[in-house]
Amino acid sequence: MCGIIAYIGKDRVKDVLLDGLEALEYRGYDSAGLYIAGAGPIKAVGPVANLRKKAALMPDGNLGIAHTRWATHGKPSEANAHPHTGRGSIWAVHNGIIENHSELRQKLMGEGRVFASETDSEVVPHLIERAMERGASFEDAVFETVRVLKGAFGLAIAHRDAPDRMVAVRMGSPLVIGVARGGRIIASDAAPVIRHTRDVVYLKDGDVAIVSADSHRIFSFLKEAVSREGETVPFGAEEAKRGGYEHFMLKEIMEGPEVLRNAIRGRIAKDGWRVKLGGLESNDERLRSIERVVIAGCGTSYYAGVVGKYLIESLADIPVEADIASELRYREPILTPKTLLIALSQSGETADTLEAVREAKRKGAFTLGIVNVVGSSIARETDAGIYNHAGPEVSVASTKAFISQTAVLALVALFLGSQRNLGASRRKEVLEELSALPEKMERILANRGLVERIAKRYAESGSMLYIGRKYMMPLAYEGALKLKEVSYIHAEGYGAGELKHGPLALVSESFPVFALAPRDSVYEKTLSNMEEVRARGADVIALVTEGDAEASRIAKETIEIPETIECLYPALAAVPLQLFAYYAAVARGLNVDRPRNLAKSVTVE
Ligand code: G6P
């Protein structure tokens, strides 16, 4: 995820910026750049060390803005790295996504402005410069500009001819101001700030801050003064990288609501029932001819693929197979030009998934990548793509990537459905519910103390069984995978209907069962399965819809999630499963973020 550091003050700006960029490296990035007023910009692809080398030749100054970029719009390159400018007077660094960038860009180009990058961000300095050329002051031009931007943006902006101040803007993308002795810092999180000061002011959405070396004033987008309390950062540098959480895994689980917002941002048309996915729209004809879908992935991505199968079959009415990529590539699969192969991968580098893509291409299938890492191998080699925009995932166990994948797959299912028989009202219903998920997920996360207590209680179990039906079956697999990965407790996931065909023989008093039983179309059946295992003496931990007294009577422990429509329960149900595995691992004193024997990205067979 992109990082921002900007500084104005007495210290050596170059050092503050470069050290700050290094402190932001943990967020993941592909290129970096900085602008120092009076000294100009420098940019470099790759590690901050590359930028540092270039900076050695550059004069210093007393105001500068800098950025680590994680590509979203446009490949990693110097031209796409920030800071961006229009005609050289305004320089800006940006985190987030500007949804209406293409219409703004068209308009600005129509007026003769020349764009140097493929980014959504570049519209910002152009708009500010245009307003200034029309007579506005620097600050007023910023106010004017932020009011026309749609989407999420954290901005730090410098004006070549105003070296006494810079401007910070926050809308949906965090920013903090550090109040140091010799100057002020603007940053995307506290990590690069705390080496200078622990006194900070967190901006809120809709804030514009005008920052000089010894003061800052905060306004609304309508230029009304607002006041924000200062705070003291209570944690150290390492913890700051984890957003103040003990582990990346918990930080990443807590990012779920934001991840959902990023997955759907700009992808729902104003009418509320059309899905806008550039990668699919540009292949409209080809996708209409598809008669079968095959989804390939590994690990957690494969389980998201099974959710995708259910989604696409129910919403788009196309037969779908979800396949483990390592099986698909070797089992002589039937893939034809009328097959759509969807490759699901957080990293975009998983060897088996990449090979499945190559096999599909050899056989003439149309390939679509749903990938988180921009510019990764799968993103490059597939015929069309959709990015998750989930930001880097550091912890080995996939958490936020899974949540994002289920949301993107719902969008894909709706898109394919719209090409076939799926009515507008059903599409609207799903999209409205999808938009309501982030807030519902926040409620689950606020209740994580309960999951922690239950996980601690079962942390010494020798084995656990996870059961669920329909959309909850892949979630049962995923819950069990999460538990074994991070807590090393043996766990199995099963379709609850399969209980009598084997796993029931395992169930006893010392064999807790995690039952996934939200109020969906198979709820009653799952309830019967819960009764069956309870009758054999097992403790049942049930994941249920809020207010479900019936399931609570059977279960020993109940974790509630808010109500949603059946096909969207996977995103919500994933969160308590992730938290349960996390807290069980913590209770066992394990290295949660780096489980033994596992790698984040499996680039070899
Ligand atoms: C590894 C990771 C898993 C991940 C899987 C697939 O096993 O530990 O968390 O789900 O690879 O990775 P991908 O990057 O293709 O989603």
Side-chain angles (χ1 to χ4, degrees), residues 195-212:
R195 66 180 66 198
H196 303 283
T197 176
R198 285 176 175 266
D199 296 331
V200 298
V201 177
Y202 285 96
L203 295 185
K204 297 217 162 99
D205 281 349
D207 283 356
V208 176
I210 298 167
V211 181
S212 64

Side-chain angles (χ1 to χ4, degrees), residues 4 27 30-31 123 127 153 314 332 339 391 440 442 473 504 577 594:
I4 288 177
R27 292 166 72 103
D30 46 59
S31 50
V123 296
L127 287 167
F153 38 97
S314 106
E332 294 166 39
T339 309
K440 293 184 181 182
E442 271 158 12
M473 186 189 74
L504 202 52
L577 298 175
R594 299 250 165 277

Side-chain angles (χ1 to χ4, degrees), residues 157-171:
I157 307 159
H159 175 18
R160 182 191 55 202
D161 306 323
D164 59 336
R165 60 199 191 277
M166 52 191 184
V167 181
V169 182
R170 173 184 169 151
M171 178 53 88

